[in-house]
Amino acid sequence: MLHTVWFVIFFEALFAANHMYITKTTTEKKYWFAATDDNVRIRYFGTKNSTNWFVLDNLEYNDFEVGRTDTFVHYGPPIGDLFQAAICKHSNGKSDDWYVQKVYVKVEKISDDGQRKVISENTFDEKNFVLRNHCRFLHTVKNILPWFF
């Protein structure tokens, strides 16, 4: 019985993950010490839901190097209109700061026949910031402004 429950939960989660989150991070190029080897995670928040934490790591590749833009692809549930992200950096033993120039995300819906449709594209407003061993919330003006009017 327990195996059946886990099987159902697994496949419900698998089929609910019909959105692709393409994240691009650009590391600052002005400073030779801008890069990091630490673990970085990101989570997206929308008007209807939020994603789980996505680990930003391309296997067998040195991510977050000076002046470079790295691309990460994850799959998750629909979250409605994206309005915020949380990005966190945690030390791997030694602590170094990560100088982020910008963070960009494109959300695409994947149909049953494999077709992809762009739902939203956002470059977050916070630019040129430093991540130490903590989290930072990033916001999109496009989706927040209607709340003020």
Side-chain angles (χ1 to χ4, degrees), residues 60-73:
E60 304 298 324
Y61 182 75
N62 200 2
D63 303 307
F64 316 119
E65 292 301 309
V66 175
R68 205 163 60 195
T69 298
D70 298 301
T71 303
F72 309 93
V73 178

Side-chain angles (χ1 to χ4, degrees), residues 41 53 86-90 131-137:
R41 299 176 301 144
W53 287 98
I87 188 166
C88 299
K89 185 183 85 62
H90 299 286
L131 261 187
R132 293 182 170 83
N133 284 330
H134 68 283
C135 295
R136 182 178 182 117
F137 284 96

Side-chain angles (χ1 to χ4, degrees), residues 13 16-25 42-58 70-85 103-110 116-122 124:
N18 64 346
H19 281 62
M20 183 166 51
Y21 295 84
I22 303 164
T23 306
K24 292 186 179 190
T25 62
I42 197 163
R43 183 176 188 181
Y44 296 110
F45 298 90
T47 54
K48 296 180 181 175
N49 199 357
S50 64
T51 65
N52 290 322
W53 287 98
F54 296 138
V55 176
L56 300 183
D57 184 31
N58 290 311
D70 298 301
T71 303
F72 309 93
V73 178
H74 297 93
Y75 298 90
I79 61 172
D81 291 331
L82 176 71
F83 68 89
Q84 181 174 272
V103 178
Y104 160 87
V105 64
K106 178 166 65 170
V107 182
E108 295 182 355
K109 181 177 181 179
I110 304 170
R116 294 173 17 187
K117 176 184 175 190
V118 175
I119 302 297
S120 68
E121 292 185 71
N122 292 289
F124 292 99

Side-chain angles (χ1 to χ4, degrees), residues 27-38 64-67 89 94-100 129-132:
T27 301
E28 184 61 62
K29 61 184 169 192
K30 289 190 281 188
Y31 310 111
W32 62 268
F33 50 84
T36 188
D37 292 323
D38 290 345
F64 316 119
E65 292 301 309
V66 175
K89 185 183 85 62
K94 64 179 179 107
S95 183
D96 54 351
D97 296 340
W98 179 34
Y99 289 72
V100 183
F129 60 90
V130 179
L131 261 187
R132 293 182 170 83

